[in-house]
Amino acid sequence: MKYQSWISPVIVLVVWQAVASLGLVETRFFPAPSAIFAKFAEMVMTEQFWLDLRVSVVRLMVGFVIGAVPGAAVGLLMGLSPLAERVISPLISMLYPLPKIALLPLIMLIFGLSEASKYAIVAIGVFFIMAINTYGGVQNINKIYFEVAKNLKVPGWKVYLTVALPGALPGIFTGLRLATGVALILLVSAEFVGATEGLGFRIWWSWTVFWVEQMYVGLVIIALLGFTFASLVGLCERTFLPWRRGGGN
């Protein structure tokens, strides 16, 4: 049942509140959930909170789209074309293991502290995940469908849209699930060092002035964003892949 998904978070919060109230943890570093909620209620009433949230969400969505669409297209191309696979796959294999956050200094050197640097770091991380998972989705398609399309002399672009893309949807949605978390990690990391607005910047700034409750509020909002985007991906998956409704969020 759906309510069971909330059991473990509730238990964690109850235990956390109890150990904080009993003084078993240092509340300067681990404030009680009630204190964090009080700070959240205070911050929600400020314009700065909504500005930071809006800025981060826009950065996340723009970077995600910039990375996901080309990534899925490249994955489909690799899955359909042996030549494209031989040309592109070595590049993917070499570049994917690189820690994407390690590229941030180079990206900031190219784009400066502009919004483009945040879009770029998110897009790079999402691109590789989508390309690899989409390629895997195409590889899992039963070859008989491609043989039927070939026998019917279906044009290549129609095979791309009517066979490869629908067949790769399970892999695409798996990639989207993974990419949402990676995108948030990269965005917050970029906002730590190259922003004056956004949730990541606010978390870092709160740490520098030792406003611990505000820092935790930022962390909670990041977690809620991750849950929200993962739930939206799950909803889309259940809509487009109704036979998989037993899984997902």
Side-chain angles (χ1 to χ4, degrees), residues 213-242:
E213 288 88 356
Q214 183 167 305
M215 183 182 72
Y216 273 91
V217 170
L219 295 174
V220 169
I221 297 302
I222 294 294
L224 291 176
L225 280 179
F227 177 79
T228 300
F229 280 101
S231 298
L232 289 174
V233 172
L235 176 61
C236 292
E237 183 176 8
R238 292 190 294 273
T239 301
F240 290 100
L241 305 176

Side-chain angles (χ1 to χ4, degrees), residues 156-232:
W157 66 272
K158 280 192 175 181
V159 174
Y160 197 92
L161 293 177
T162 61
V163 179
L165 180 58
L169 281 178
I172 290 174
F173 279 113
T174 298
L176 289 172
R177 285 177 179 275
L178 295 173
T180 52
V182 171
L184 273 169
I185 292 170
L186 292 173
L187 175 62
V188 172
S189 300
E191 289 181 339
F192 274 0
V193 297
T196 57
E197 294 173 329
L199 295 172
F201 166 77
R202 198 58 51 190
I203 292 171
W204 183 262
W205 181 82
S206 300
W207 174 81
T208 60
V209 296
F210 207 66
W211 287 7
V212 179
E213 288 88 356
Q214 183 167 305
M215 183 182 72
Y216 273 91
V217 170
L219 295 174
V220 169
I221 297 302
I222 294 294
L224 291 176
L225 280 179
F227 177 79
T228 300
F229 280 101
S231 298
L232 289 174

Side-chain angles (χ1 to χ4, degrees), residues 70-71 74-75 78 84-98 100 124 126-133 135:
V74 169
M78 290 170 57
E85 180 185 7
R86 288 193 295 271
V87 172
I88 300 173
S89 182
L91 292 174
I92 298 288
S93 299
M94 288 187 294
L95 296 177
Y96 176 66
L98 290 175
K100 306 306 176 291
I124 290 172
V126 170
F127 172 85
F128 286 101
I129 293 175
M130 291 303 301
I132 292 170
N133 281 276
Y135 170 71

Side-chain angles (χ1 to χ4, degrees), residues 74-115:
V74 169
L76 288 172
L77 180 62
M78 290 170 57
L80 287 175
S81 170
L83 175 60
E85 180 185 7
R86 288 193 295 271
V87 172
I88 300 173
S89 182
L91 292 174
I92 298 288
S93 299
M94 288 187 294
L95 296 177
Y96 176 66
L98 290 175
K100 306 306 176 291
I101 197 62
L103 299 175
L104 186 57
L106 176 61
I107 291 173
M108 293 178 64
L109 185 65
I110 297 172
F111 296 105
L113 299 180
S114 67
E115 293 299 290

